[in-house]
Amino acid sequence: MKVRQFIEDKIVDIKKTVGDESAISALSGGVDSSACTVLAHRAIGGGRLKVIFIDDGLMREGEPRQVQETFGKLGIKVDIVDAQAEFFRALAGKLDPEEKRKAFRQTFYTVFGREVLKSRARFLVQGTIAADIIETKGGVKTQHNILEQIGIDPEKGFGFKVVEPIKELFKPEVRRVAKELGLPESVYRRMPFPGPGLMARVLGEVTPERVAIVRKANVVVEQEIRKLAPFQAFAVLLNDMGTGVEEGRRKFGHIIIIRSVESRDAMKARPTPVPWDVLMKMSRRIVKAIPSVTRVAYELTPKPPATIEYI
Ligand code: XMP
């Protein structure tokens, strides 16, 4: 792929598609939506592109503000929409992974639909990539951002058209595009993070309290594993408890799984051979930072048969 040519072609495409209308970009801060946002900004400019960051309550520590700052430096204004309560309401009581994904997707489009109506935009710019489409069509999972591919018409259902400028690219190509677009290394080298955020790392019910636990554990994993530069690393909260002991008394606590994988495009993956001292340090830090956790384990399954995320 010739990166510069790709960028020029996409800018022309977006201009043609959007015409005199305006568009809204669903920015998450990940490399995919970041690249799309910059492409759309270059194509139609700040006046007709509204950039929105939906705070679904499922992002990593400090993420909404960091994203706003990064794009602010590029001259792109990002509005944060606080929809945390709405997402948690939709997820309350849901245990089944696919039901959770569907509830997330429905809420995501309801919130966005509302913002699109407010902004009068007719187009939604989205960072769907090739792997998302392949896995959704193959029935591996319900991606929150695939509608047309599964036969839902976003215009009928939600009142807008979807523009997906990077849908034929895989992750490594998206990173090259993002770099060429002038995005900082913290974005173009960013680890993949799922659209449904920390929800993909909470087994069982997704509540603000349970998300807070997994968020803290994710901070530790990301900090300690950074020097190994894995493809993706994170912490997961299981929907089960394990016995522990504190001051001579038994207690029942949460179980955290550490997952770190090496992969090219997320279609296949193998566990990172994390050195023992790094694993031990993460385990110590997690139980110290989150006293309700009694157990920490490291996940050893490649993809396939496991997927990278837990739901
Ligand atoms: P799995 O867990 O299916 O994930 O092996 C493959 C890659 O995709 C990310 N992922 C998602 N990304 N929306 C996204 O944008 C999603 O719903 C989603 N689910 C998983 C995952 O983090 C991994 O990099």
Side-chain angles (χ1 to χ4, degrees), residues 11-146:
I11 291 174
V12 172
D13 277 0
I14 299 170
K15 269 190 188 146
K16 257 197 224 149
T17 309
V18 178
D20 295 332
E21 304 280 353
S22 52
I24 186 163
S25 177
L27 177 64
S28 72
V31 64
D32 306 340
S33 65
S34 295
C36 282
T37 299
V38 180
L39 279 172
H41 189 263
R42 292 223 187 140
I44 62 172
R48 286 194 293 131
L49 178 73
K50 187 171 173 65
V51 183
I52 274 186
F53 180 99
I54 294 283
D55 186 353
D56 52 20
L58 303 165
M59 304 307 290
R60 283 166 292 187
E61 189 73 41
E63 211 160 12
R65 295 276 160 232
Q66 277 162 22
V67 171
Q68 206 173 31
E69 264 175 46
T70 303
F71 279 80
K73 282 184 194 151
L74 295 172
I76 302 176
K77 182 171 164 286
V78 178
D79 289 337
I80 296 179
V81 177
D82 182 357
Q84 298 189 39
E86 209 165 332
F87 277 90
F88 283 118
R89 259 198 312 277
L91 292 167
K94 297 207 167 45
L95 306 178
D96 178 74
E98 277 299 286
E99 259 187 49
K100 282 155 66 173
R101 281 182 172 273
K102 283 179 182 150
F104 180 90
R105 183 172 59 183
Q106 189 61 42
T107 312
F108 180 86
Y109 280 101
T110 305
V111 173
F112 259 101
R114 213 162 47 221
E115 294 301 317
V116 175
L117 278 182
K118 268 198 244 161
S119 72
R120 297 174 188 277
R122 297 275 296 115
F123 293 89
L124 169 59
V125 181
Q126 266 202 164
T128 314
I129 64 168
D132 299 341
I133 297 173
I134 293 166
E135 298 217 316
T136 296
K137 274 193 182 152
V140 177
K141 63 172 178 271
T142 303
Q143 290 272 145
H144 81 284
N145 54 355
I146 310 287

Side-chain angles (χ1 to χ4, degrees), residues 32 101 104 127 131-132 135 140-145 171 191-197 200-201 231-232 234 259 261 265-267 269 303 306-311:
D32 306 340
R101 281 182 172 273
F104 180 90
D132 299 341
E135 298 217 316
V140 177
K141 63 172 178 271
T142 303
Q143 290 272 145
H144 81 284
N145 54 355
K171 208 63 136 192
M191 273 187 208
F193 186 63
R201 301 171 183 180
F231 175 79
Q232 196 169 357
F234 52 89
R259 176 103 165 118
V261 295
D265 54 18
M267 301 291 288
K303 173 183 180 176
T307 54
I308 294 176
E309 303 287 347
Y310 261 56
I311 78 155

Side-chain angles (χ1 to χ4, degrees), residues 143-156:
Q143 290 272 145
H144 81 284
N145 54 355
I146 310 287
L147 291 173
E148 279 158 329
Q149 289 81 14
I150 52 169
I152 298 174
D153 181 343
E155 205 169 6
K156 281 199 193 122

Side-chain angles (χ1 to χ4, degrees), residues 75-305:
I76 302 176
K77 182 171 164 286
V78 178
D79 289 337
I80 296 179
V81 177
D82 182 357
Q84 298 189 39
E86 209 165 332
F87 277 90
F88 283 118
R89 259 198 312 277
L91 292 167
K94 297 207 167 45
L95 306 178
D96 178 74
E98 277 299 286
E99 259 187 49
K100 282 155 66 173
R101 281 182 172 273
K102 283 179 182 150
F104 180 90
R105 183 172 59 183
Q106 189 61 42
T107 312
F108 180 86
Y109 280 101
T110 305
V111 173
F112 259 101
R114 213 162 47 221
E115 294 301 317
V116 175
L117 278 182
K118 268 198 244 161
S119 72
R120 297 174 188 277
R122 297 275 296 115
F123 293 89
L124 169 59
V125 181
Q126 266 202 164
T128 314
I129 64 168
D132 299 341
I133 297 173
I134 293 166
E135 298 217 316
T136 296
K137 274 193 182 152
V140 177
K141 63 172 178 271
T142 303
Q143 290 272 145
H144 81 284
N145 54 355
I146 310 287
L147 291 173
E148 279 158 329
Q149 289 81 14
I150 52 169
I152 298 174
D153 181 343
E155 205 169 6
K156 281 199 193 122
F158 301 101
F160 51 73
K161 287 191 181 134
V162 177
V163 181
E164 295 170 321
I166 55 168
K167 70 176 172 193
E168 64 262 43
L169 305 187
F170 283 93
K171 208 63 136 192
E173 295 160 331
V174 182
R175 294 191 194 285
R176 284 166 56 206
V177 169
K179 186 175 180 189
E180 184 65 33
L181 285 169
L183 281 156
E185 195 173 334
S186 61
V187 175
Y188 71 75
R189 287 248 171 94
R190 204 178 190 82
M191 273 187 208
F193 186 63
L198 296 173
M199 182 190 92
R201 301 171 183 180
V202 173
L203 290 177
E205 193 179 10
V206 181
T207 62
E209 297 73 29
R210 292 170 57 78
V211 170
I213 293 172
V214 91
R215 181 178 287 124
K216 274 192 194 161
N218 268 273
V219 170
V220 173
V221 172
E222 284 198 16
Q223 283 176 357
E224 294 300 334
I225 221 150
R226 191 168 294 146
K227 52 182 175 279
L228 303 178
F231 175 79
Q232 196 169 357
F234 52 89
V236 178
L237 174 65
L238 294 190
N239 189 28
D240 214 340
M241 309 284 270
T243 305
V245 58
E246 189 178 52
E247 290 164 5
R249 301 184 70 141
R250 287 164 76 83
K251 71 169 186 182
F252 226 32
H254 295 296
I255 306 170
I256 291 283
I257 302 284
I258 298 170
R259 176 103 165 118
S260 178
V261 295
E262 304 308 321
S263 177
R264 204 190 80 82
D265 54 18
M267 301 291 288
K268 285 184 180 170
R270 58 192 161 75
T272 308
V274 180
W276 187 251
D277 58 328
V278 178
L279 287 171
M280 289 307 292
K281 186 154 181 218
M282 288 191 284
S283 165
R284 272 197 307 273
R285 279 191 60 191
I286 289 170
V287 293
K288 191 160 178 227
I290 318 159
S292 63
V293 172
T294 49
R295 280 159 194 265
V296 177
Y298 185 60
E299 153 87 54
L300 293 172
T301 327
K303 173 183 180 176

